[in-house]
Amino acid sequence: MTIRIGILGYGNLGRGVECALRQNPDMELVAVFSRRGNIDTLTHALSLPLDALEDYKDKIDVMILCGGSATDLPVQTPEYASMFNVVDSFDTHARIPAHFAAVDAAAKASGKCAVISAGWDPGMFSLNRIYSMALLPEGETYTFWGRGVSQGHSDAIRRIDGVVDARQYTVPVPEAVAQVRSGAMPTLSTRDKHTRECFVVAEEGADLARIEQEIKTMPNYFADYDTTVHFISAEELKRDHAALPHGGSVIRTGVTGLNKEHRHVVEYQIKLDSNPEFTAGALVASARAVYRLANEGKSGCMTMLDIPPAYLCAMSGEELRAALL
Amino acid sequence: MTIRIGILGYGNLGRGVECALRQNPDMELVAVFSRRGNIDTLTHALSLPLDALEDYKDKIDVMILCGGSATDLPVQTPEYASMFNVVDSFDTHARIPAHFAAVDAAAKASGKCAVISAGWDPGMFSLNRIYSMALLPEGETYTFWGRGVSQGHSDAIRRIDGVVDARQYTVPVPEAVAQVRSGAMPTLSTRDKHTRECFVVAEEGADLARIEQEIKTMPNYFADYDTTVHFISAEELKRDHAALPHGGSVIRTGVTGLNKEHRHVVEYQIKLDSNPEFTAGALVASARAVYRLANEGKSGCMTMLDIPPAYLCAMSGEELRAALL
């Protein structure tokens, strides 16, 4: 019996989940739900409007929520956890505890199972921060992001007057990464760790110096970083910056031994051609785990930190122990 | 209330666990058990002979078994799982299913909880093979070990006639690692991936050419590898090869997208000054998880693949979500 999946929201992430499901033969896509409904999906999957959801309560085992963290998921995940087992990729770190509480209450009330914040950060990076801290309790953990496109920072630039479009790359400082990798445990400021590189399409006649200044001094987003701004044409942006690559590293250095004389460096590193498709992989694997946990009678909210790793895999525990342990 | 830990077996691994426990304030070392008993421990912990074990059934929450995989653990882990919650680092991959079955039967009968094969391979490397396969089901996984000392290969050399002592380093082939890291998904033979470097102390007057030939042609251990043999003095071995460093990488390349047009490379890499002390860190974290799982009423055998990651950490789920997710 295959796991019946629904997708809610059909942007880059929803399309990534749709494609990922074809690589997981133990799952099937029942339908894509979106505000519009009746859209052309990449794989010709059934497309339905949101008001059809109610009819699918017993026809979908896990609903994968592919909306954004700013406004969609804070509403949708608790709402749909009252009808379905759900998975989301909520990634506003500071608001995770509140989101967790809201989803947990809804899922406990309905007896459904939810996993929030699946993806790579939060997600795989969080797991690696936690594993390496558990094994090496004395030490320092460093997270580097990039080189990759930050959607949030690109959006922030687009909101500036005179900007037509923009793409922002987060770039780790190579010297900082090398220093951390050496096991040195340096103290690094925000500016030491990452630079930001912006490709901006401006309106004709716009004051480029003013735009550049507004970007570089923008609090939270750019003011604490060394930022480079390149003005390019709309054609160049489309030609050279259409992809959504990303990547990064979680590195922990820890000390052990009677006199802490031994040093260990543990690194988890990813290089992704497509950020949303890798995140989709985490959502789909988490959906499998949610299905199994729900079948065991579990309810309430969880994150990837609460999922026994074997539950993410299609193979049985026995197969995993024989082949991959 | 602290988690009361016992250590059984007092070689490098047992000493590593003893030191690691001092870095985990939620745990306390009750006693070290060994065949001899009454030994000087690094931290002046209580040392007892094996026949004292029975008296400690209710005074120890988790017994960490630090014997070897060849002869100790296949007997000890099932035996002591009838008295204690236990953790071991059983690392003979091919015999894991049989060991699991034996420990599972014993632990289920006693109502105790056991985790076998905690460490880095099996252990953290297995986890990374499984996470990356779950997220990227289409692709190739590569494991590289080293540069590091292989105890098993060192022992194999020591069994050769005329050899006094030996140290064997497993060394990944840099070109192979670079090729895999690039995302190329090459087909690599055993010989392509690793070389073996041996430092051998021979008896005075021994036939060095014969020893070298016996090493290089030894089936399973060396015949399939490019092996280098250096004859050195006992003093040089002691001076230059006393440490037990190790390391390695698990690298998976996977493809995603409608036409598999996107490529992702995920790597987990470790560089360890002390192999037994890092393994000890995995044993101690797993002991914490075993304690919690046992308190939830779980019994039987598990591996790190079955442990919810948060259970390995001293912090609560709430703290982890707020600080590290």
Side-chain angles (χ1 to χ4, degrees), chain A residues 96-178:
Chain A
I96 286 174
H99 188 56
F100 186 94
V103 175
D104 193 48
K108 283 208 172 113
S110 65
K112 299 290 183 184
C113 221
V115 166
I116 62 160
S117 303
W120 58 273
D121 199 355
M124 289 310 303
F125 274 21
S126 327
L127 284 168
N128 277 282
R129 284 189 284 264
I130 278 167
Y131 276 117
S132 58
M133 191 186 70
L135 270 65
L136 297 169
E138 281 190 60
E140 289 292 335
T141 301
Y142 302 82
T143 303
F144 292 98
W145 298 276
R147 188 174 197 258
V149 173
S150 163
Q151 212 60 51
H153 287 78
S154 302
D155 290 345
I157 300 172
R158 278 187 212 104
R159 286 191 293 266
I160 293 173
D161 201 45
V163 170
V164 177
D165 205 350
R167 206 63 137 195
Q168 193 270 184
Y169 294 87
T170 306
V171 187
V173 175
E175 294 76 15
V177 178

Side-chain angles (χ1 to χ4, degrees), chain B residues 44-59:
Chain B
H44 312 293
L46 178 63
S47 160
L48 295 167
L50 293 186
D51 55 19
L53 273 167
E54 191 85 21
D55 300 336
Y56 279 80
K57 274 170 84 164
D58 301 320
K59 296 172 190 157

Side-chain angles (χ1 to χ4, degrees), chain B residues 93-117:
Chain B
H93 289 262
R95 284 159 54 198
I96 286 173
H99 187 57
F100 185 94
V103 176
D104 194 48
K108 283 206 173 112
S110 65
K112 298 291 182 184
C113 221
V115 166
I116 63 160
S117 302

Side-chain angles (χ1 to χ4, degrees), chain B residues 116-168:
Chain B
I116 63 160
S117 302
W120 59 272
D121 199 355
M124 290 309 304
F125 274 22
S126 326
L127 285 168
N128 277 280
R129 285 188 283 264
I130 277 166
Y131 275 117
S132 58
M133 191 186 70
L135 268 65
L136 297 169
E138 281 191 59
E140 289 292 335
T141 300
Y142 302 82
T143 302
F144 292 99
W145 298 275
R147 189 175 196 259
V149 173
S150 163
Q151 212 59 49
H153 287 77
S154 302
D155 290 344
I157 299 173
R158 277 186 212 108
R159 286 192 293 265
I160 293 174
D161 201 46
V163 170
V164 176
D165 205 351
R167 207 64 138 191
Q168 194 269 185

Side-chain angles (χ1 to χ4, degrees), chain A residues 19-20 22-24 42-43 93 96-97 100 116-117 119 121-138 181-182 243 255-275 277-278 280-282 284-285 288 298 301 303-315 317-318 320-325, chain B residues 19-20 22-24 42-43 93 96-97 100 116-117 119 121-138 181-182 243 255-275 277-278 280-282 284-285 288 298 301 303-315 317-318 320-325:
Chain A
C19 293
R22 301 205 304 177
Q23 297 182 299
N24 289 277
L42 288 178
T43 65
H93 289 262
I96 286 174
F100 186 94
I116 62 160
S117 303
D121 199 355
M124 289 310 303
F125 274 21
S126 327
L127 284 168
N128 277 282
R129 284 189 284 264
I130 278 167
Y131 276 117
S132 58
M133 191 186 70
L135 270 65
L136 297 169
E138 281 190 60
R181 240 174 226 157
S182 77
V255 293
T256 66
L258 190 62
N259 301 303
K260 304 176 190 175
E261 65 274 28
H262 293 133
R263 197 160 277 230
H264 311 275
V265 182
V266 177
E267 175 168 3
Y268 178 77
Q269 186 185 135
I270 58 175
K271 279 178 267 177
L272 313 176
D273 273 357
S274 165
N275 181 359
E277 288 176 8
F278 187 73
V284 168
R288 179 183 290 121
K298 292 266 187 353
C301 189
T303 72
M304 291 181 86
L305 309 185
D306 307 304
I307 298 175
Y311 279 44
L312 298 166
C313 286
M315 289 165 87
E318 209 168 350
L320 291 173
R321 283 192 295 276
L324 289 162
L325 190 67
Chain B
C19 293
R22 303 206 302 178
Q23 298 182 300
N24 289 276
L42 288 178
T43 65
H93 289 262
I96 286 173
F100 185 94
I116 63 160
S117 302
D121 199 355
M124 290 309 304
F125 274 22
S126 326
L127 285 168
N128 277 280
R129 285 188 283 264
I130 277 166
Y131 275 117
S132 58
M133 191 186 70
L135 268 65
L136 297 169
E138 281 191 59
R181 240 175 225 157
S182 77
V255 293
T256 65
L258 190 61
N259 302 304
K260 304 177 188 175
E261 65 274 28
H262 293 133
R263 197 161 278 229
H264 311 275
V265 182
V266 177
E267 176 168 1
Y268 178 77
Q269 187 186 135
I270 59 175
K271 279 178 267 177
L272 313 177
D273 274 357
S274 165
N275 180 359
E277 288 177 9
F278 187 74
V284 167
R288 179 182 289 120
K298 292 265 187 353
C301 189
T303 73
M304 291 182 85
L305 308 184
D306 307 304
I307 298 175
Y311 279 43
L312 298 167
C313 286
M315 290 166 86
E318 210 167 349
L320 290 173
R321 283 192 296 277
L324 289 162
L325 190 68

Side-chain angles (χ1 to χ4, degrees), chain A:
Chain A
M1 215 179 73
T2 55
I3 306 172
R4 300 165 304 169
I5 303 287
I7 292 174
L8 199 157
Y10 198 65
N12 287 325
L13 189 57
R15 283 189 284 270
V17 170
E18 181 186 12
C19 293
L21 288 169
R22 301 205 304 177
Q23 297 182 299
N24 289 277
D26 60 332
M27 305 192 175
E28 58 168 319
L29 176 56
V30 175
V32 172
F33 299 86
S34 66
R35 289 198 183 85
R36 296 167 286 167
N38 198 24
I39 46 179
D40 284 334
T41 59
L42 288 178
T43 65
H44 313 294
L46 178 64
S47 160
L48 296 167
L50 293 185
D51 56 20
L53 272 168
E54 189 86 22
D55 301 337
Y56 279 79
K57 273 169 81 163
D58 302 319
K59 295 172 191 158
I60 282 173
D61 296 310
V62 185
M63 185 66 76
I64 301 183
L65 304 173
C66 298
S69 296
T71 55
D72 298 332
L73 298 176
V75 178
Q76 289 177 348
T77 315
E79 180 177 347
Y80 297 117
S82 66
M83 275 189 247
F84 298 100
N85 300 309
V86 294
V87 179
D88 80 17
S89 64
F90 186 79
D91 65 0
T92 313
H93 289 262
R95 284 160 55 197
I96 286 174
H99 188 56
F100 186 94
V103 175
D104 193 48
K108 283 208 172 113
S110 65
K112 299 290 183 184
C113 221
V115 166
I116 62 160
S117 303
W120 58 273
D121 199 355
M124 289 310 303
F125 274 21
S126 327
L127 284 168
N128 277 282
R129 284 189 284 264
I130 278 167
Y131 276 117
S132 58
M133 191 186 70
L135 270 65
L136 297 169
E138 281 190 60
E140 289 292 335
T141 301
Y142 302 82
T143 303
F144 292 98
W145 298 276
R147 188 174 197 258
V149 173
S150 163
Q151 212 60 51
H153 287 78
S154 302
D155 290 345
I157 300 172
R158 278 187 212 104
R159 286 191 293 266
I160 293 173
D161 201 45
V163 170
V164 177
D165 205 350
R167 206 63 137 195
Q168 193 270 184
Y169 294 87
T170 306
V171 187
V173 175
E175 294 76 15
V177 178
Q179 207 187 352
V180 168
R181 240 174 226 157
S182 77
M185 295 202 260
T187 302
L188 297 171
S189 69
T190 298
R191 194 176 299 272
D192 292 334
K193 289 176 68 189
H194 297 91
T195 54
R196 299 198 174 277
E197 198 175 357
C198 313
F199 295 86
V200 181
V201 181
E203 280 171 14
E204 222 184 292
D207 179 349
L208 302 187
R210 194 249 321 147
I211 291 174
E212 180 164 346
Q213 183 63 13
E214 278 195 44
I215 293 172
K216 289 185 170 176
T217 57
M218 195 185 297
N220 304 319
Y221 285 91
F222 294 99
D224 299 332
Y225 300 85
D226 289 336
T227 301
T228 319
V229 177
H230 308 278
F231 289 98
I232 60 173
S233 68
E235 293 68 38
E236 286 170 315
L237 191 83
K238 197 175 167 186
R239 186 192 68 204
D240 302 333
H241 304 282
L244 293 168
H246 220 311
S249 290
V250 173
I251 306 174
R252 182 167 181 89
T253 295
V255 293
T256 66
L258 190 62
N259 301 303
K260 304 176 190 175
E261 65 274 28
H262 293 133
R263 197 160 277 230
H264 311 275
V265 182
V266 177
E267 175 168 3
Y268 178 77
Q269 186 185 135
I270 58 175
K271 279 178 267 177
L272 313 176
D273 273 357
S274 165
N275 181 359
E277 288 176 8
F278 187 73
T279 302
L283 284 168
V284 168
S286 297
R288 179 183 290 121
V290 159
Y291 173 75
R292 292 172 174 178
L293 290 161
N295 279 353
E296 288 178 3
K298 292 266 187 353
S299 68
C301 189
M302 287 173 288
T303 72
M304 291 181 86
L305 309 185
D306 307 304
I307 298 175
Y311 279 44
L312 298 166
C313 286
M315 289 165 87
S316 72
E318 209 168 350
E319 290 169 324
L320 291 173
R321 283 192 295 276
L324 289 162
L325 190 67

